[in-house]
Amino acid sequence: MDKFETEIYLRYKQIIQSSVALAPKECMPETRHVHMADLLDRYDAFCFDGYGTLYNRGSFVYPGAMDWFQMLRRVGKHLRLVTNAASDIDEVLARDADKRGFDFSTEETISSGCLLRKLVERLRRVECADGNAAKPLELREVYYIGRETGRNVLKACGITAVAMDAEPAEPIVAISSAKDTPETYARAVKILQRPGAILLVLNSDAWAPKIPDENGVTVRESVSGALSERLRRDSICDANGGEGCKTYYLGKPFPQIWERVKASLPSGSRVLMIGDTLGTDVFGAKVAGFDSALVVGRNVPAAELEADESALGIRPDYYLEP
C-alpha cells in the first residue's frame, strides 16, 4: 500500500475513533478463507461494495461475483449495494448495476452521494459558536471536480456547480472523483485557502483497482479520497490561521452511511459487509458493528495483504474466495 494511502486511511480511523466508541478487541481476529456457501446460515443480510468487488468500469464483472449474487437472491437474503460512488443519484447507480446483471433496487442501493442532502441541510442551519449565532451557509453553489453526471447529486440538494474558471459565492469545493487538471486543482486550492473554506468529499475512496489486463494483472490508481487529501493539505496557509479548510467526508468508513444501511434492514439482522478495501469496507464494517469479508487481489494485492493489515491495524473476519 502506498505510504500516502496508508496515511489517508489512518486519518479516517483517527477521525472516527475520536467521535465513536468502537467495540474493543484485544487483537485482530484470525481470518478464515471461505466461500459464499459457507456463510449462508450465518447472516441474514449481505452488503456489497460495487466497484472492485462485484464489477468495474463498463460491463466488466468479476469472476464469481454473479454466482454470489444469484445464490443469495435464490435463498431470499436481504441484499444492499453500499457504495462510495457519487457519480450519480441512487436510482441511476441501481440501474447501472442492473445493466451488469445485479438487479439491486433503488431502495437496496445506498451511496455516499445520497448522504449529501442531510449534510447540506445541517450546514444551512444557523449554528451557534460561543453563544453567538453564526451566519448560516447558503450552500447554493460549489466548485466541483468529478464526473459530469455527479452534478445530478448536487442538483438533488439544490446546489449548482459553477464554471471551472469561476469561483462560488462561498468558498466551498466538492470532490466526487479524481478528474482534476492542473488548472482546476490550482483554482480549488485558491478557494480552499480562503477563511471558512469547506471541502466536501463525496467519495472517500483513496485508491481503486482498474480492470485486470489480459494477463490478469490488476493496476491500482489514486482516486477522489487521495485528491481530496492533497487539496486539504495544500489548503493550509496563513490566511486561514494554518488550519486549512474544514473537511466533511461522506460514505464508507464513516458512520452516517451505516446508519442508513441499518435503517433499511429488519431490526436484529445479522449483517456481513463484503468489499475489496481494508480502510473503507473492512474498517467501515467494524464501525457499523458488522462482520466483514475481504476479496483479496483487487484493492489489496495478495503479496501486500499482511503488511497492509499490520499498517492499518485492520483485518477482516473472512477472506472470500470466488
Side-chain angles (χ1 to χ4, degrees), residues 2 5 7 35 44 48 68 82 91 96 110 120 126 133 139 142 162 201 218 229 237 246 249 269 271 274 283 322:
D2 184 279
E5 181 182 6
E7 292 172 353
H35 293 88
D44 309 302
F48 285 97
W68 297 338
V82 185
E91 181 181 358
D96 288 345
I110 300 172
V120 166
V126 175
L139 230 175
V142 300
V162 301
V201 184
T218 296
E229 179 61 10
C237 65
K246 177 70 174 177
Y249 299 96
S269 294
V271 185
I274 301 167
F283 181 64

Side-chain angles (χ1 to χ4, degrees), residues 148-216:
E148 186 66 24
T149 52
R151 293 171 183 261
N152 295 329
V153 175
L154 301 174
K155 184 179 179 181
C157 301
I159 299 173
T160 299
V162 301
M164 301 312 290
D165 59 352
E167 294 187 16
E170 298 168 309
I172 303 173
V173 174
I175 307 294
S176 72
S177 61
K179 293 295 179 184
D180 59 308
T181 66
E183 292 76 21
T184 60
Y185 186 88
R187 187 168 294 273
V189 169
K190 179 183 176 184
I191 294 167
L192 292 173
Q193 287 182 340
R194 289 164 56 185
I198 290 175
L199 175 60
L200 303 175
V201 184
L202 308 186
N203 181 339
S204 297
D205 287 342
W207 253 252
K210 292 185 177 181
I211 296 173
D213 64 20
E214 62 274 11
N215 298 314

Side-chain angles (χ1 to χ4, degrees), residues 51-118:
Y51 289 99
T53 299
L54 295 178
Y55 47 76
N56 210 301
R57 297 295 175 192
S59 59
F60 182 86
V61 173
Y62 284 101
M66 188 57 65
D67 293 335
W68 297 338
F69 186 82
Q70 292 176 346
M71 180 187 303
L72 295 171
R73 278 288 192 224
R74 283 197 301 270
V75 298
K77 298 294 182 179
H78 298 286
L79 300 182
R80 295 292 182 271
L81 176 62
V82 185
T83 174
N84 276 355
S87 55
D88 216 316
I89 59 175
D90 286 359
E91 181 181 358
V92 175
L93 295 177
R95 287 204 304 266
D96 288 345
D98 191 23
K99 291 175 183 176
R100 299 178 174 98
F102 301 96
D103 61 340
F104 289 104
S105 67
T106 301
E107 292 71 26
E108 292 174 321
T109 302
I110 300 172
S111 73
S112 59
C114 78
L115 306 172
L116 181 61
R117 181 188 297 275
K118 189 173 182 179

